Amino acid sequence: MTSGWDPTLSPSETIRHPTASSQGTLLRADSLSTTRALPSISVDLRELSTGVSATTSADLEVRGVIGEGGMGRVLLARQHSLIRDVAVKTSKATAGESARAAILLEGEITGSLEHPSIVPVHALGLDQSGQPAMVMKRIEGVAWDALMHDPRHADWEGWEGTPDDRLPGHLQILMQVCNALHFAHSRSVVHRDVKPQNVLIGRFGDVYLADWGVATQVGTKAQALCGTPAYLAPEMVNGTTVDARTDVYLLGSTLHLILTGQPRHPGSSVTESLMHARSSPAFTYGPTVPVELAALANRACHVEPSQRPESARAFKDALTRYVKHRDARALF
């Protein structure tokens, strides 16, 4: 497997290979990587790229930055035609062609997955200056990891559990992530970067699996390392075929984090985490961790894909059985 990743990255950060569009990212016959024309998106990004205010009649008025990474950023914009706020993902002015193409491909993949727990894409195209623009629903809420770090966070309202025991609420959220993944797998798409930072929690019980930037097709054998080292399935490190059970492994890694507060693949560097991911040893959980959940986490994170739950739905079913048993025991 080729490297191509920055060795200074934290194991909790996503590795995005610069040539991902040619190294295993989902490509369909009608993909936007072809020469077909892209629609024009009425958004003016000049003020953000130049610092100079510009008078514009664009439908999308950029009002701020929601977040940004190395080559991309997500903007808050007012869509005047529908009188609503939306999120617009675009590349930075300094980004290269591969980064711009990656955003368009991510938009194509995400837009093809219409599910209640996947962020809706309203439009995809180019702005007046030729920059990519993916217009999405603006999610009013926070990333799941914010709730993990603060059991008293205001956005815990409406979820089961108490500040002293947030496990019930975490399992509710994880089951909704399972629903999104099971749907994506039915469309032959593997997410490859499931983690709490990529799950958005709305303020009305809504959960969204976001950031499909390293998604790929079921059965792909990627030549470039991508994903988050602290969560990776061994086949992602070895460059062998990925499928639905690869995402099941990532569900197991996320469950491990819920149960222990620590990543599945510990390490002070990306290299250490990758070495642990490759061997994927079983973990010995303490007495405070429910036996059923400990067994599920280890089974989902088995080094052999054939030994894992066969699907995201099967993983969810195991969570559901645990919750039912827990509730039944609580009656006595």
Side-chain angles (χ1 to χ4, degrees):
M1 167 164 293
T2 58
S3 57
W5 45 269
D6 181 355
T8 65
L9 283 175
S10 162
S12 63
E13 293 182 80
T14 299
I15 295 174
R16 302 177 188 276
H17 198 278
T19 57
S21 60
S22 61
Q23 298 285 354
T25 300
L26 178 66
L27 295 176
R28 298 203 314 252
D30 61 343
S31 172
L32 289 170
S33 60
T34 66
T35 57
R36 69 183 178 88
L38 291 166
S40 175
I41 301 294
S42 181
V43 55
D44 197 328
L45 305 176
R46 287 176 295 176
E47 181 175 350
L48 285 172
S49 60
T50 65
V52 178
S53 179
T55 301
T56 178
S57 59
D59 182 37
L60 297 174
E61 178 190 351
V62 176
R63 293 187 169 178
V65 178
I66 295 174
E68 56 185 311
M71 291 289 101
R73 57 174 60 178
V74 179
L75 310 172
L76 173 65
R78 184 67 173 176
Q79 186 175 21
H80 294 293
S81 60
L82 293 176
I83 318 175
R84 65 179 180 183
D85 289 335
V86 295
V88 181
K89 187 168 187 176
T90 186
S91 56
K92 294 182 179 179
T94 56
E97 183 58 35
S98 62
R100 292 193 288 270
I103 289 176
L104 293 173
L105 195 54
E106 178 185 355
E108 178 186 8
I109 295 169
T110 311
S112 72
L113 299 173
E114 296 184 83
H115 184 273
S117 289
I118 297 176
V119 180
V121 175
H122 300 315
L124 179 68
L126 304 174
D127 81 324
Q128 293 92 323
S129 63
Q131 291 283 81
M134 175 169 57
V135 184
M136 304 173 288
K137 176 180 179 177
R138 182 207 175 189
I139 308 301
E140 295 187 49
V142 296
W144 188 10
D145 64 324
L147 300 188
M148 287 190 167
H149 289 113
D150 183 2
R152 297 184 180 279
H153 196 289
D155 284 6
W156 270 118
E157 184 179 358
W159 296 98
E160 290 185 11
T162 67
D164 295 325
D165 180 16
R166 287 300 183 189
L167 178 60
H170 283 309
L171 297 183
Q172 285 181 302
I173 293 169
L174 188 58
M175 285 191 278
Q176 291 201 43
V177 174
C178 290
N179 289 339
L181 286 174
H182 187 64
F183 174 78
H185 298 159
S186 75
R187 299 297 190 269
S188 296
V189 176
V190 184
H191 188 282
R192 291 200 298 183
D193 200 22
V194 180
K195 59 181 179 179
Q197 293 93 323
N198 288 339
V199 176
L200 304 178
I201 311 300
R203 297 188 176 163
F204 302 96
D206 41 334
V207 174
Y208 300 93
L209 179 56
D211 200 343
W212 295 77
V214 299
T216 193
Q217 193 166 28
V218 168
T220 294
K221 186 180 292 186
Q223 299 302 310
L225 179 67
C226 63
T228 302
Y231 296 81
L232 292 182
E235 59 268 27
M236 299 173 71
V237 181
N238 297 328
T240 51
T241 302
V242 300
D243 59 19
R245 291 186 178 183
T246 301
D247 279 346
V248 168
Y249 188 105
L250 301 181
L251 287 170
S253 289
T254 302
L255 176 59
H256 177 89
L257 181 66
I258 292 170
L259 297 175
T260 68
Q262 300 297 321
R264 182 76 188 191
H265 304 313
S268 59
S269 69
V270 168
T271 300
E272 288 184 17
S273 291
L274 293 180
M275 291 177 63
H276 191 275
R278 178 168 279 160
S279 60
S280 290
F283 186 85
T284 301
Y285 291 91
T288 61
V289 174
V291 173
E292 301 98 319
L293 296 182
L296 177 59
N298 273 329
R299 190 156 59 95
C301 292
H302 199 285
V303 67
E304 293 294 337
S306 63
Q307 300 302 308
R308 302 170 198 162
E310 63 182 359
S311 66
R313 173 172 285 176
F315 185 94
K316 179 191 173 184
D317 288 345
L319 291 177
T320 302
R321 286 193 296 272
Y322 164 75
V323 171
K324 287 182 178 178
H325 294 162
R326 180 203 64 192
D327 291 344
R329 287 192 295 268
L331 296 176
F332 298 96

